Amino acid sequence: MIIGFIGFGKVSQNLMNLIKSHDITFISSFEGRSQKTIEKIKESKVDVLDTFKEVAIASDILISANSPKNALEVAKDYGKYAKGIYLDLNNISPNTTFEISKYVPNLVDGAIIGKIDSDNPILYLSGKSADKLMFLNEFIDVRKISDNIGDAAILKLLRSTYTKTLSALLIESSQIASEYNLEEEFFDVLSLTEGDEFREKSLSRINNTLNNSKRKCEELEEIISYFDSSDLTMVKAALKKLNQ
Amino acid sequence: MIIGFIGFGKVSQNLMNLIKSHDITFISSFEGRSQKTIEKIKESKVDVLDTFKEVAIASDILISANSPKNALEVAKDYGKYAKGIYLDLNNISPNTTFEISKYVPNLVDGAIIGKIDSDNPILYLSGKSADKLMFLNEFIDVRKISDNIGDAAILKLLRSTYTKTLSALLIESSQIASEYNLEEEFFDVLSLTEGDEFREKSLSRINNTLNNSKRKCEELEEIISYFDSSDLTMVKAALKKLNQ
């Protein structure tokens, strides 16, 4: 079996490290890549073809793991050559996934949850052809959501809906606690029900959100725009809170 | 040492069970009590005096554990007789605590966190005289917050600010997930970062909130009214969400 990579960042590299099998050959290309990526590819056990078109044609599974803004272009350029499965692992919105599906016959929509460079990331898949990827369970925890393209991307957005709104709540409630000089006790008292790691985890979420508030707001706007037929009272409040 | 109880419900009974010492005598009274409470007192190892006035006078520590709406009246009636410490364990707002402090010279403001009938409830205390109660650490986890009367009540309100707003967030995000037929996966995916009990705990919070939404709204209104000088974007959204 041949697995081809378009994009050779962390996701591709770590997937390759996790999928340890003598029956699988990995391929990619230097075409248009930066010197740094070329070095990474050279250091790895990847077979190098001249072009990504050749990679797409030769692969049983073609994995697209690029930056979100390149995902659609890559799909348009190479999706049509993929005779096997085209697995999109880019961190893209459901709408981009739907757009991609127009150009890619055998699309599988994937979301990696948890740190990809940890030992146990989980790969959620959706799309009819996902069944054919379940053999990867031998190497990585793979869970098929449904036959519907887009469900993996929607699941990522739902996760994000919760975690980003939660961060806004943590910011607000810890702010009030600190106004009353009870911030320590606030985390202390909640650790009793929310778990021992509550303080550490919450402070990390608060700092991460405050330090990246512009991006977090954009992501909340994307959530609001995608789920616009749902009630979004809490999510909209989170956006307002972070915009302050 | 003599510990007196005004109110003989779960809190008083379980405190008595936790405080196991030959050096401590417990006292209370049948005065004005229901037949059921009289039976409870008879079954316990409490010494019975004729009136609560006598209980107040005789106690080194007088514990008021009644219904929130009686707390102020009890303090007005018996606080002046308490020569030792008056420990208020009623689930009352900070403003009621401040009002009570006008009638009670040696007030300590207490909040029990965790189930009182579990083996390890935690007793948060505030007020100068709280130091004199730290010996109770032999029997129950006691933590002094500060010398400021009201801090224990404010801490309860801060805890409630977080948990009630979180419930509104859980309701909203799980609703969206279920609209997309991804509710199972939503809880599944969040369990990875929020802990194995996330699903069970969240469903219990959602049900508890939806089944008691009127009371939850009243409690949120109380929070909003007490913390009205703070930014309450998220809390106000939670009230709006639960009022729908």
Side-chain angles (χ1 to χ4, degrees), chain A residues 61-167:
Chain A
I61 303 168
L62 183 65
I63 295 179
S64 168
N66 300 275
S67 74
K69 62 173 193 272
N70 294 334
L72 179 58
E73 205 187 314
V74 166
K76 279 183 183 174
D77 287 350
Y78 304 108
K80 55 182 173 285
Y81 301 121
K83 287 174 297 182
I85 287 166
Y86 185 106
L87 173 59
D88 193 299
L89 291 183
N90 299 293
N91 193 11
I92 51 179
S93 73
N95 284 332
T96 308
T97 306
F98 297 135
E99 188 66 18
I100 283 176
S101 74
K102 294 180 191 165
Y103 302 93
V104 179
N106 250 332
L107 180 62
V108 172
D109 173 22
I112 293 166
I113 309 285
K115 287 218 164 68
I116 175 65
D117 47 358
S118 74
D119 286 338
N120 50 2
I122 297 182
L123 179 58
Y124 282 89
L125 300 177
S126 59
K128 279 188 187 131
S129 305
D131 291 327
K132 292 179 191 154
L133 294 178
M134 296 311 282
F135 76 95
L136 289 170
N137 254 315
E138 200 180 324
F139 314 106
I140 176 175
D141 188 346
V142 182
R143 304 182 187 178
K144 182 180 173 180
I145 304 172
S146 73
D147 282 348
N148 310 322
I149 284 293
D151 272 2
I154 295 172
L155 185 60
K156 260 186 302 188
L157 217 54
L158 286 167
R159 183 178 180 282
S160 193
T161 301
Y162 177 81
T163 56
K164 291 195 173 58
T165 311
L166 179 66
S167 294

Side-chain angles (χ1 to χ4, degrees), chain B residues 118-149:
Chain B
S118 74
D119 286 338
N120 49 1
I122 298 183
L123 179 57
Y124 282 90
L125 300 177
S126 59
K128 278 187 188 133
S129 306
D131 291 327
K132 293 180 193 156
L133 294 179
M134 296 311 282
F135 76 95
L136 289 170
N137 253 315
E138 201 181 322
F139 315 105
I140 176 174
D141 188 347
V142 181
R143 304 183 188 178
K144 182 180 172 180
I145 304 172
S146 73
D147 282 348
N148 310 321
I149 284 294

